[in-house]
Amino acid sequence: MSSSRTASADTAPVELAIGGMTCAACANRVEKRLNKMEGVTATVNFATEKARVAFEGEAVPVEDLVAQIEKAGYTATAPGPEPEEATRTVEDDPTRALWNRALVSMLLSAPVILLAMAPALQFTYWQWASLTLAAPVVVWGARPFHVAAWKNLKLGTATMDTLVSLGVTAAFLWSLYALFLGTAGVPGMTHPFEFTITRTDGAANIYLEVAAGVTSFILLGKYFEARAKRRAGDALRSLLELGAKEVAVLRGEGASAREELVPVDRLVVGDRFVVRPGEKIATDGQVEEGTSAVDMSMLTGESVPVEVEPGSAVVGATVNAGGRLVVRASRVGSNTQLAQMARLVEEAQNGKAAVQRLADRVSGVFVPVAIMIAVGALGFWLGTGGSAGAAFTAAVAVLIIACPCALGLATPMALMVGTGRGAQMGILIKGPEMLESTRRVDTIVLDKTGTVTTGKMALAGVTVAEGEDESEVLRRAGALEGASEHPIARAIATGAAVRVGELPTPEDFVNVEGRGVQGVVDDHTVLVGRPAFLTERFRYLPEELEQALKEAESEGRTAVTVGWDGRVRGVLVVSDTVKPTSAEAIRRFRELGLTPILLTGDNAAVARAVADEVGIEEVVSEVMPEDKVAMVSRLQSEGRTVAMVGDGVNDAAALAQADLGLSMGTGTDVAIEAGDLTLVRGDLRAAVDAVRLSRRTLATIKGNLFWAFAYNTAALPLAAAGLLNPMLAGAAMALSSVFVVSNSQRLRRFRSLSDHTGAEGDRVPRDG
């Protein structure tokens, strides 16, 4: 690491990669040492092997942080960029060396364990063959534990490595004593495999199978841990690798513009670049030329392509599925939505939930307590007349079984997998503390526009006068409105084109500002606009059209009249349409035990109509943004725990006030900052998925912690009582860690509500 690198003057948090940690006690030690520095608040995550350091006041130089960590016996560097996929080598996989060490140790240990457990296989001098095979395992296989234990000893501390090294070394040294100075080395000696505690001097007992077996089992367990941790980080790595590597930038303007292929990191804001069909969009920007459909599934999990046209915003790493586009870059590098998503996921994985802090405190005192229990067991058996071998067996078993690996992995492993899976689904969990909030929430407040509804005007209904052809009314109205840029006009033109097909081109088009438009279509002078605009010209409004106008007004919808040749021919109703999945999402919220409330600035009629359509009973309408905050506060004062779902712009204050804020939409800066969870997809079911995934992750964390605590609590007394063979203790300790990581990996199978695969995630129990 360059010595010139220091924390920035703006006191932005610093992230460091920590090397040499082997258990939660290590992470706890590094965290304590950093937090002793003035103005430093550090969080160290054992699973991600990273420290996140924040500053109060003036920033502390990175060199000082690294020096403190090195004094604790560990290494620290500022993480560099991930290597390109093409340049990645086998050596880049940190689990490879661990696997080789575990594999060799297992191959050498297997015959040692087999001979010790099967007396019938114990040939003459079998014990010396066992020593030959076990020695490399104890010296080379267990070397990482011995090295770490020696560092800890010099620092006057103890970790899991201390326990393993003590146990393995004690078993091996006792075996050497029995072989060279005792009676275990005599020809023809047999060693029965039994769990009973007998009164002997121990001079004939060897524990080579313990020394070799414990080393092998723990190495294998650590390999599975490392592989699972790497897989848990795959979601974040794949997210970062979604982006394009090269981009065709347009140099010059107009017909003389030429394309230049450059690396994507050379793009700057304002550059115009070309995206051909099938190519990834290089960065966030705005379409300037062309129309197409963009596949957002890699980034948001949304399977339906989004139509884009000049003026549409596009996001980097999505795929152009249709025509050629010219895009002007609006955000590049670390400011893009992809980079923001990756940063949020990593920050969430590096954070700690309340349950993890409890586990850290336990792990911090567990190692020295375990050593005291081992010494106590040794003294007890020797003091009560037990054999030295029996006392030694109990002490070693305590040392081995006490390793708190599973305890340290219980929370961060589940958090890594859960947040990684969420990122793949377009759900960004801002921090682990949010998981606790989703469990307590009982009320969910929903903004209407852009959340329950599309937020875009669309043609919702057509009523024609008696004797008129609906297709003809739509065709002529759509043709005329197609020449206007007004949002209502665009909605009518789009709806008409969908229903009747290609529209004719109008002539003599005139826009009567604030009232409507008129022009010639099919040799008829057609008028489209407000009811008063047409009734002033044509005087008479048929009864059926007058009734349609009243119904539209009562529902808060916008009604537009169409007429030609002296008569009003039809009424077109335009409104903000409800998203097709909103009703299902509301039903799912109820299944999760949440009471939905619709909160909107629209009038009561519009709000009530939308609420009825999706199944919401409680509605609060005609509120300003500050009133939304007051509404959330009032619900909280009533004892409710409130979640708020909004678009993150005019709902930002209410999102911040809520116990749990869920920002919906395109993941803008405001949305990401305002909410506790950010939903990249515009589907309200994503909010349901966010609650379900958060609750499932929290349940997994609690399950992991329960079994980790239960395992240590139940096994330690058995080991101290001499009822647990040290080799089996080592296997059980390794398997407990494997259980924690494999249980956490089940979160990878979580499925979105929109993913009808019948998988585990499709069931929506009350607890998520």
Side-chain angles (χ1 to χ4, degrees), residues 440-530:
R440 300 191 304 268
V441 165
D442 53 32
T443 302
I444 187 157
V445 176
L446 305 165
D447 174 52
K448 180 184 75 68
T449 305
T451 302
V452 177
T453 66
T454 62
K456 298 179 180 179
M457 303 297 280
L459 183 62
V462 181
T463 303
V464 297
E466 184 177 352
E468 297 293 338
D469 180 19
E470 180 178 312
S471 296
E472 189 65 22
V473 171
L474 267 177
R475 182 173 177 274
R476 293 181 179 177
L480 198 58
E481 294 283 55
S484 172
E485 294 298 323
H486 194 281
I488 293 177
R490 301 303 302 168
I492 292 174
T494 301
V498 169
R499 299 191 189 193
V500 302
E502 187 175 355
L503 303 174
T505 301
E507 300 174 0
D508 299 330
F509 175 82
V510 176
N511 180 21
V512 182
E513 188 173 351
R515 298 177 66 78
V517 293
Q518 70 179 51
V520 177
V521 181
D522 298 335
D523 297 327
H524 295 274
T525 300
V526 180
L527 280 71
V528 182
R530 295 176 180 272

Side-chain angles (χ1 to χ4, degrees), residues 382-618:
L382 290 175
T384 56
S387 69
F392 173 78
T393 299
V396 171
V398 169
L399 290 174
I400 299 303
I401 204 71
C403 300
C405 271
L407 201 59
L409 286 169
T411 297
M413 276 306 305
L415 189 61
M416 284 181 69
V417 180
T419 53
R421 179 66 186 124
Q424 292 175 328
M425 296 166 58
I427 300 168
L428 308 182
I429 301 174
K430 208 167 192 179
E433 62 277 4
M434 306 312 163
L435 304 179
E436 302 280 0
S437 299
T438 59
R439 171 67 66 179
R440 300 191 304 268
V441 165
D442 53 32
T443 302
I444 187 157
V445 176
L446 305 165
D447 174 52
K448 180 184 75 68
T449 305
T451 302
V452 177
T453 66
T454 62
K456 298 179 180 179
M457 303 297 280
L459 183 62
V462 181
T463 303
V464 297
E466 184 177 352
E468 297 293 338
D469 180 19
E470 180 178 312
S471 296
E472 189 65 22
V473 171
L474 267 177
R475 182 173 177 274
R476 293 181 179 177
L480 198 58
E481 294 283 55
S484 172
E485 294 298 323
H486 194 281
I488 293 177
R490 301 303 302 168
I492 292 174
T494 301
V498 169
R499 299 191 189 193
V500 302
E502 187 175 355
L503 303 174
T505 301
E507 300 174 0
D508 299 330
F509 175 82
V510 176
N511 180 21
V512 182
E513 188 173 351
R515 298 177 66 78
V517 293
Q518 70 179 51
V520 177
V521 181
D522 298 335
D523 297 327
H524 295 274
T525 300
V526 180
L527 280 71
V528 182
R530 295 176 180 272
F533 178 52
L534 271 73
T535 53
E536 284 176 2
R537 305 288 185 92
F538 302 148
R539 303 293 179 188
Y540 174 69
L541 186 66
E543 183 180 347
E544 59 270 27
L545 299 187
E546 189 171 354
Q547 182 63 31
L549 284 173
K550 290 180 180 178
E551 289 180 4
E553 289 172 359
S554 67
E555 295 174 356
R557 299 184 174 190
T558 301
V560 175
T561 49
V562 184
W564 62 85
D565 294 345
R567 291 182 56 194
V568 180
R569 311 282 177 157
V571 171
L572 310 180
V573 178
V574 177
S575 69
D576 179 10
T577 56
V578 172
K579 294 178 181 178
T581 57
S582 291
E584 180 191 354
I586 300 303
R587 179 173 58 82
R588 297 284 194 172
F589 279 133
R590 294 187 187 280
E591 291 176 2
L592 290 171
L594 307 181
T595 301
I597 298 175
L598 189 66
L599 190 63
T600 177
D602 275 347
N603 64 59
V606 174
R608 186 71 262 168
V610 170
D612 290 342
E613 188 171 346
V614 298
I616 297 177
E617 297 173 3
E618 191 171 346

